[in-house]
Amino acid sequence: MHHIRLTALLLLALGLTATAQQKPNVLFICIDDLRPDFGCYGNKEVHSPNIDAFAAKAVVFNRQYVAVPTCGASRAALLTGRYPRTKVGLSNDAAEKMMAGKPRGEKPETFIENLRRNGYYTVGIGKISHSADGYIYPYTAPRSNELELPNSWDEMLMDAGKWKTGWNAFFAYADGSNRQGRKGEVKPYEAGPDNDDAYPDGLTAALAVKKLKELAGKKQPFFLGVGFFKPHLPFNAPAKYWKLYDESRISLTPSPGIPAHVSTASLHPSAEFKSYKAGDEKPSLEGPVSDAYARKLRHAYYAAISYIDAQVGKLLAALKQNGLDKNTIIVIWGDHGWHLGDDLVWGKHTIFEWSLRSALLVKTPGMQRGFTCERVVSATDIYPTLMELCRVNTPVETDGASFAQLLTAPGAAPDWRDLAYSYFRQGITVRTPRYRLTKYFRAEEPTVELYDHQTDPYENRNIAAEQPALVKALMKEWEKGNTGVFGQ
């Protein structure tokens, strides 16, 4: 009874009404390969006016970490609230292998499916799990009719425009071609025509705006998931977003080399990036690309962020225009970070801060003034949080915990656990408020890395060998996240 009373007070504080007829809607915006590089995250070089304005009335999570630094596996962990326990859970086709074609009861249940079973009308547009349009088929094949997340959707939509299929649209160039059709003989960036529908994310925004108008007429709470592709490679955006930047003034990385006392096995030679074969230079762990090329690539990435910021602005405006803003929970989430030359890497796929920390902004209907939350949270916490906010029971066990109380005030929930675990490259890492401790299951030494974010915020120096007592103490927390995924 005491817990029920506390939950009722919490929901009231967040502006979430208590009657079943008025359950809140959810607008969930997924953004691919998104570092927390908005103005509201302290990057004043990036033009992100729409998301920054939204942040002024939302909670900006400054220390949110994904479970796996690759798109499909990160999203599978988000959707199920579970850390990976098998190698399948580390792969881009995690959702496909765990959920597609399997009857209910024999697969993990996504939080979207749970909402649907509890009266929500669920719509997906674009990339929500791994597939660019929600259906399972190879990059170069026609679209199939097999859903990646069966039982989750009332509608799964995509306007692929002149690119014809979701995967062609995902790797799109403005002339209607794509990376795979051009056999990788493409640059990793492009400044296209100025109209937003020069690339598929503009079409996704237009479709979502249209769908919001339809959903406003329903007498049923809805979940609308909208998945934008950029700033995923290729870093393509309309030229008007490139023009927002003076390339010569763009900063370079504060982590220009391999961290001290770290094996190169913890990093990688940027293979995904180099699959864009017409790139100006080829990065490697032997040394950095030129400063000029690094600035060009950062310029391209930032232009792609500004392009997406404009699309998000259209959704937020449509929400208000249709009178939906007063009873809709809004979540903006990046599926992982990205090394922009940091540690000599261009890409994700590491368990360093650059790759694991991503954007998370949450707004409930009652919020009028936002704040930045410095507590450590995991993407696996989002499932139970949304269920609490929507007053829907969670019928499955999750590794995450609801952070709903953290949405009420900067100092709320003093007993919050402040831990996040991540998995990749034969390694498991735990992030605490001050430290990152990583242990790898491999031959290359050192296999243990420790970073002190108080003195080394960019993880430039592994101090594990200097701090054995601290490693031993933190290893107790690390062990709690050892799911056995690496079999040791």
Side-chain angles (χ1 to χ4, degrees):
M1 182 66 76
H2 181 62
H3 173 72
I4 293 172
R5 193 179 303 118
L6 280 176
T7 299
L9 289 171
L10 173 64
L11 294 175
L12 187 63
L14 294 170
L16 294 160
T17 55
T19 60
Q21 292 80 9
Q22 293 179 309
K23 279 189 174 180
N25 308 307
V26 180
L27 172 61
F28 198 106
I29 301 171
C30 302
I31 305 176
D32 213 320
D33 282 20
L34 178 70
R35 293 157 55 111
D37 269 344
F38 299 124
C40 60
Y41 275 99
N43 190 333
K44 301 306 180 185
E45 294 183 359
V46 172
H47 293 261
S48 49
N50 295 288
I51 291 173
D52 292 345
F54 171 76
K57 294 184 178 180
V59 178
V60 178
F61 285 89
N62 198 37
R63 296 179 180 180
Q64 184 266 158
Y65 298 93
V66 301
V68 189
T70 193
C71 303
S74 173
R75 292 161 186 256
L78 163 89
L79 291 163
T80 63
R82 299 277 281 173
Y83 289 128
R85 284 164 168 75
T86 67
K87 295 294 177 62
V88 167
L90 301 171
S91 65
N92 270 333
D93 53 4
E96 174 186 343
K97 289 185 175 177
M98 291 191 294
M99 291 177 246
K102 295 183 179 179
R104 185 175 284 149
E106 294 183 17
K107 62 178 181 61
E109 182 178 69
T110 70
F111 68 76
I112 304 168
E113 181 177 349
N114 189 35
L115 288 173
R116 188 180 182 213
R117 285 196 301 100
N118 282 275
Y120 276 73
Y121 190 80
T122 60
V123 182
I125 300 176
K127 186 178 179 183
I128 308 301
S129 46
H130 178 245
S131 171
D133 56 12
Y135 292 88
I136 299 170
Y137 58 101
Y139 283 168
T140 56
R143 202 208 82 180
S144 78
N145 291 316
E146 184 181 9
L147 282 168
E148 193 173 20
L149 301 180
N151 305 318
S152 286
W153 303 114
D154 288 298
E155 298 181 63
M156 186 68 226
L157 308 172
M158 172 78 192
D159 182 355
K162 60 189 174 185
W163 298 277
K164 306 298 184 185
T165 73
W167 281 127
N168 286 347
F170 189 71
F171 299 107
Y173 288 80
D175 63 0
S177 67
N178 58 78
R179 185 192 70 183
Q180 55 270 30
R182 292 167 67 177
K183 302 188 186 308
E185 296 295 339
V186 288
K187 287 185 178 293
Y189 60 85
E190 180 180 75
D194 271 348
N195 52 305
D196 283 0
D197 61 1
Y199 295 104
D201 285 318
L203 302 178
T204 293
L207 186 56
V209 166
K210 180 181 177 182
K211 183 54 63 174
L212 280 167
K213 187 173 182 179
E214 291 178 21
L215 292 171
K218 279 187 171 289
K219 300 184 187 302
Q220 185 179 0
F222 66 80
F223 173 91
L224 175 61
V226 182
F228 290 116
F229 297 160
K230 297 300 134 194
H232 191 287
L233 283 167
F235 302 153
N236 297 349
K240 61 184 176 182
Y241 299 106
W242 285 72
K243 293 172 185 173
L244 294 171
Y245 299 90
D246 177 349
E247 189 171 295
S248 68
R249 299 175 67 88
I250 291 175
S251 300
L252 297 175
T253 176
S255 299
I258 294 172
H261 315 303
V262 166
S263 168
T264 54
S266 299
L267 303 167
H268 63 76
S270 308
E272 180 188 14
F273 180 85
K274 287 189 287 192
S275 70
Y276 295 78
K277 300 174 188 175
D280 306 29
E281 300 175 29
K282 303 295 184 190
S284 78
L285 295 178
E286 302 302 314
V289 300
S290 69
D291 287 356
Y293 191 42
R295 284 195 171 91
K296 179 177 284 294
L297 293 171
R298 283 177 169 251
H299 184 181
Y301 185 87
Y302 289 171
I305 288 179
S306 295
Y307 172 48
I308 293 306
D309 175 78
Q311 309 320 302
V312 170
K314 294 174 187 176
L315 268 62
L316 298 176
L319 204 68
K320 187 171 185 178
Q321 288 163 6
N322 289 287
L324 295 168
D325 56 316
K326 296 177 177 60
N327 196 36
T328 300
I329 298 162
I330 306 166
V331 180
I332 298 175
W333 177 72
D335 65 350
H336 44 69
W338 222 82
H339 291 249
L340 284 172
D342 316 295
D343 307 333
L344 297 179
V345 172
W346 293 87
K348 55 254 190 184
H349 300 150
T350 77
I351 49 176
F352 286 87
E353 190 90 353
W354 296 110
S355 198
L356 298 173
R357 178 172 169 256
S358 75
L360 174 64
L361 300 91
V362 181
K363 184 183 184 303
T364 62
M367 289 182 187
Q368 295 302 316
R369 182 179 298 175
F371 60 88
T372 296
C373 179
E374 296 292 345
R375 310 304 291 273
V376 175
V377 298
S378 165
T380 60
D381 297 325
I382 294 173
Y383 184 156
T385 302
L386 283 177
M387 297 309 99
E388 180 170 1
L389 296 178
C390 293
R391 301 185 302 283
V392 170
N393 290 330
T394 304
V396 296
E397 182 182 351
T398 66
D399 292 316
S402 172
F403 56 68
Q405 196 175 348
L406 296 178
L407 300 172
T408 59
D415 58 346
W416 178 251
R417 67 175 187 264
D418 281 302
L419 295 172
Y421 298 94
S422 305
Y423 310 77
F424 213 63
R425 306 197 71 78
Q426 292 296 119
I428 300 173
T429 186
V430 61
R431 183 66 158 88
T432 75
R434 179 169 176 176
Y435 298 103
R436 174 176 299 288
L437 178 68
T438 303
K439 180 181 177 181
Y440 291 96
F441 298 91
R442 68 182 189 208
E444 295 90 346
E445 295 284 351
T447 57
V448 177
E449 296 172 9
L450 174 65
Y451 302 97
D452 182 348
H453 275 256
Q454 186 169 297
T455 59
D456 181 23
Y458 303 116
E459 298 182 344
N460 292 153
R461 188 167 183 268
N462 172 21
I463 59 170
E466 304 165 28
Q467 299 281 354
L470 181 55
V471 168
K472 184 177 180 181
L474 289 171
M475 196 59 74
K476 295 175 183 176
E477 300 292 1
W478 182 94
E479 288 288 357
K480 295 175 186 175
N482 185 0
T483 62
V485 65
F486 297 113
Q488 297 183 49

